[in-house]
Amino acid sequence: MKIITRILIAATGLFNLAGCYDAGIKQTIQETGFIYCESGSVEFFNPQISDENSILEAISAQIYDRLLIIDPISQLPSSNLAKSWQVDKTGTVYTFTLQPDVAFHSTELFTPTRSMDANDVVFSFDRILNPENPYHAVNTGHYPWFDSINFSHMVESVKAIDKHTVQFVLSSPDNTFLSALATSYAVIHSLEYSQKLASIDEKELIDIKPVGTGPFKLDQFQKSELVRLKRHDGYWQGPAKMSQVVFDISSRGTGSLAKLLRQECDVVVNPISSQLPVIIENDDLTLYSQTATNVAFIAVNTQKPLLQDARIRQALNLSIDRSSLINSVYYNSGIEAKSILPPASWAYGNDSSFIRYDLNYAKGLLREAGIKTPLELTMWVPLDNNSYNPSPKKSAEIIQSDFSKIGINLTLITSDLLSRNELIDHDIDLVLTGWNANSSDPDSMLRPLLSCNAKQAGFGVANWCNEEFDLLLDLAKETNQPRYRINIYRQLQNLLNEELPIIPLAHGVKYQANQASLKGFTLSPFNTYSFHDVVRIKEAE
């Protein structure tokens, strides 16, 4: 769905982003680029070593390319840095042919002497897979998303056949492999840059001063304030239409809308739902919306002895009035979640006997579990809105009120980020969060959140591990029979609805509001796309 308002171009003037720029910079950013406003935390620019972070995904999609991308129309993996691929009869050997003449960024620190080749691809994945790789332990030394899907078990080897051919050998047939290579995490680094940094004993800079093949390169970074990217003129698909993009990461909530209305922001993503009428009614703005493959949920910390009782988790689930959430938080733009998978998924199974609103049954389950009310619980609540939850604080307050009706006092704890240690050390019982899928494959919503590997990687905030669940996941990705895969995913959803390590709440819509003069954005239910084709259409004189 796309809502486009009438175009009315406003005059632009000199822009000063909250005093972040040096006084000597006089050019108007809007004349040569645009300002993208989204709050978030950025420490490293390499998504391989980060967990899910929408602002980092948007930035890294401009700096790096991947072998494959998810086509926004077919929703299937399609060519990118790899122009083609072949799979052998066993389904375990994938051979990729690379695009020729793909240039890496030139920076103050590094000037490449050659185009991207197979050795760069091998280095990019060997860093993840091989503990002996000199860069494996650099910076965090962890690869949360790859660990959560057990990537090191999935891939046995990666090798360069020749300069433009790379071969991946898998441990077993895997229907999810191509989708994994198309996620925002599977970026390609420069081996030559890594060698330069190692020679000057500055390996950590590979993730702080990144070099990729994307349409833009890093120019300026001020933590908690801004990230400025400049056009990569040697981009293999031709130079981007705009010469710079500035990410304003300092605003949140209503502040972003105010900046958009004052033309201090050109793009705002995930606006609060209550702001949508203001945006729609403004002739200077365009509002895009895209059905997203996502889910908002409560993760139950199953390491807590009390919450290991499934009856208590079921009681929490039955006490939540999801229709109130949809009306009050999503302004009817979202839908109630009956499963972790959204209705658009080809594997969706809806068994509403589990996911429903039933206060009497919830109270009965607490009594059966021997719980004496009032019961005291804590829930961590993020500060930033997201496509799966446009107002976490308001959602948390509604859930808090719902829980009180069955005798549960819920204390809300708000902060920007939650680490695994904080989850354990701060005695947090519940986490209000969600997930945006990277592909249309159901595995991309189930495995990173709920597999035993996800728990070990610190990616699965429910701290849940179920061997039957993992066995079914593995069966689903190995069989090529669609009918069998659907049946297995229905079994997985039924198991989750019975156990409820996470309590699904709602499926949201992905929104983007921008100045009507900007054209060329690609919206997808999955990854953020590059801004290569974005252009500002100036008003005819």
Side-chain angles (χ1 to χ4, degrees):
M1 179 178 66
K2 182 165 67 174
I3 306 170
I4 304 182
T5 60
R6 181 169 57 88
I7 298 177
L8 178 62
I9 309 300
T12 60
L14 288 176
F15 178 77
N16 181 9
L17 185 59
C20 293
Y21 283 95
D22 296 335
I25 298 178
K26 302 296 184 182
Q27 69 177 8
T28 303
I29 293 176
Q30 284 95 337
E31 289 181 356
T32 59
F34 62 94
I35 303 154
Y36 185 103
C37 288
E38 183 178 5
S39 60
S41 176
V42 178
E43 183 176 3
F44 301 110
F45 292 95
N46 177 11
Q48 291 177 335
I49 61 174
S50 302
D51 57 10
E52 196 222 2
N53 183 325
S54 58
I55 184 61
L56 176 59
E57 180 183 282
I59 295 170
S60 67
Q62 317 314 317
I63 296 174
Y64 298 105
D65 284 316
R66 309 179 293 276
L67 289 178
L68 305 176
I69 57 173
I70 298 294
D71 184 278
I73 306 301
S74 70
Q75 300 187 4
L76 297 174
S78 63
S79 61
N80 197 39
L81 289 180
K83 64 179 182 180
S84 63
W85 66 91
Q86 295 179 332
V87 188
D88 78 339
K89 293 180 179 179
T90 69
T92 61
V93 180
Y94 287 73
T95 305
F96 295 87
T97 301
L98 303 180
Q99 302 280 1
D101 302 321
V102 174
F104 280 105
H105 301 155
S106 292
T107 69
E108 292 181 359
L109 191 61
F110 172 69
T111 300
T113 65
R114 60 169 177 79
S115 300
M116 181 209 72
D117 66 26
N119 295 303
D120 300 302
V121 177
V122 172
F123 165 72
S124 300
F125 290 97
D126 189 68
R127 178 184 178 183
I128 300 165
L129 296 167
N130 180 12
E132 302 302 318
N133 184 291
Y135 276 84
H136 182 80
V138 170
N139 293 320
T140 68
H142 297 287
Y143 303 86
W145 184 82
F146 290 97
D147 291 342
S148 74
I149 66 167
N150 205 7
F151 191 73
S152 61
H153 176 75
M154 177 193 298
V155 178
E156 285 190 350
S157 66
V158 187
K159 62 180 179 180
I161 302 301
D162 57 41
K163 190 175 180 179
H164 292 106
T165 311
V166 182
Q167 189 174 88
F168 289 75
V169 178
L170 309 188
S171 58
S172 61
D174 193 321
N175 294 298
T176 70
F177 174 64
L178 291 177
S179 294
L181 295 188
T183 67
S184 57
Y185 301 100
V187 298
I188 303 303
H189 295 274
S190 165
L191 171 62
E192 190 179 19
Y193 182 48
S194 76
Q195 293 168 337
K196 166 67 181 295
L197 293 178
S199 71
I200 60 174
D201 198 24
E202 298 272 12
K203 290 180 185 176
E204 70 280 358
L205 294 183
I206 195 169
D207 304 315
I208 301 170
K209 295 187 175 181
V211 166
T213 63
F216 295 90
K217 58 185 178 181
L218 180 66
D219 179 65
Q220 182 182 8
F221 173 47
Q222 294 186 15
K223 192 170 183 178
S224 303
E225 292 293 339
L226 68 89
V227 177
R228 183 173 184 257
L229 306 181
K230 291 182 68 175
R231 179 167 55 202
H232 174 204
D233 291 329
Y235 186 52
W236 62 282
Q237 297 189 71
K241 293 180 170 62
M242 308 292 273
S243 67
Q244 64 175 319
V245 181
V246 172
F247 291 84
D248 178 353
I249 56 178
S250 64
S251 301
R252 62 162 47 93
T254 57
S256 295
L257 177 62
K259 285 187 174 184
L260 184 69
L261 295 174
R262 294 196 303 264
Q263 298 184 22
E264 294 175 5
C265 282
D266 290 303
V267 181
V268 169
V269 294
N270 304 319
I272 297 172
S273 294
S274 59
Q275 298 174 345
L276 297 182
V278 176
I279 296 169
I280 292 171
E281 292 168 7
N282 191 310
D283 290 336
D284 294 343
L285 305 177
T286 298
L287 179 68
Y288 295 94
S289 67
Q290 169 69 55
T291 301
T293 304
N294 65 22
V295 63
F297 59 82
I298 297 172
V300 182
N301 187 358
T302 57
Q303 284 196 339
K304 295 297 186 72
L306 179 71
L307 297 174
Q308 289 173 1
D309 190 329
R311 293 171 296 184
I312 298 174
R313 302 196 297 268
Q314 290 165 358
L316 298 177
N317 162 64
L318 291 164
S319 70
I320 297 171
D321 184 358
R322 291 169 176 78
S323 64
S324 178
L325 280 174
I326 297 301
N327 293 332
S328 302
V329 176
Y330 294 79
Y331 284 70
N332 295 313
S333 62
I335 58 175
E336 296 181 35
K338 303 296 184 183
S339 164
I340 184 173
L341 298 181
S345 171
W346 54 264
Y348 177 68
N350 173 12
D351 189 341
S352 57
S353 65
F354 290 100
I355 311 296
R356 68 181 194 276
Y357 183 49
D358 192 332
L359 290 179
N360 289 331
Y361 191 15
K363 292 175 183 178
L365 285 171
L366 290 180
R367 287 194 299 269
E368 184 181 313
I371 298 299
K372 295 181 179 179
T373 55
L375 174 63
E376 303 290 335
L377 294 178
T378 60
M379 184 167 75
W380 177 80
V381 181
L383 295 174
D384 293 327
N385 50 304
N386 199 294
S387 61
Y388 52 70
N389 194 336
S391 183
K393 186 173 185 293
K394 191 170 185 179
S395 297
E397 290 168 349
I398 291 172
I399 293 166
Q400 185 181 49
S401 175
D402 287 343
F403 282 2
S404 69
K405 296 171 186 175
I406 61 171
I408 294 177
N409 295 329
L410 183 64
T411 299
L412 305 180
I413 301 170
T414 59
S415 63
D416 282 310
L417 297 172
L418 177 69
S419 70
R420 184 174 178 83
N421 288 337
E422 286 177 318
L423 179 63
I424 298 170
D425 297 343
H426 288 67
D427 202 38
I428 294 173
D429 301 303
L430 310 170
V431 176
L432 180 63
T433 184
W435 182 250
N436 291 304
N438 299 114
S439 74
S440 60
D441 196 294
D443 194 88
S444 70
M445 291 198 76
L446 298 171
R447 189 178 299 272
L449 295 174
L450 291 159
S451 67
C452 293
N453 283 104
K455 176 185 176 181
Q456 294 168 7
F459 213 73
V461 289
N463 288 317
W464 187 69
C465 174
N466 183 293
E467 292 182 359
E468 179 185 357
F469 182 84
D470 275 25
L471 176 62
L472 289 170
L473 271 181
D474 290 341
L475 286 174
K477 74 175 186 176
E478 291 174 7
T479 179
N480 286 319
Q481 299 296 322
R483 180 165 57 101
Y484 294 151
R485 290 196 82 198
I486 289 175
N487 287 338
I488 293 170
Y489 284 123
R490 296 285 169 82
Q491 291 180 58
L492 284 162
Q493 289 169 86
N494 288 337
L495 191 156
L496 289 177
N497 286 343
E498 291 174 0
E499 292 293 324
L500 288 168
I502 64 174
I503 300 171
L505 300 173
H507 305 291
V509 174
K510 183 184 291 186
Y511 285 105
Q512 175 180 300
N514 53 258
Q515 302 296 335
S517 55
L518 287 177
K519 306 294 182 183
F521 289 102
T522 300
L523 266 68
S524 163
F526 312 113
N527 301 328
T528 300
Y529 278 72
S530 83
F531 300 147
H532 175 261
D533 294 325
V534 176
V535 65
R536 193 182 297 275
I537 307 297
K538 295 185 178 181
E539 185 178 25
E541 297 182 358

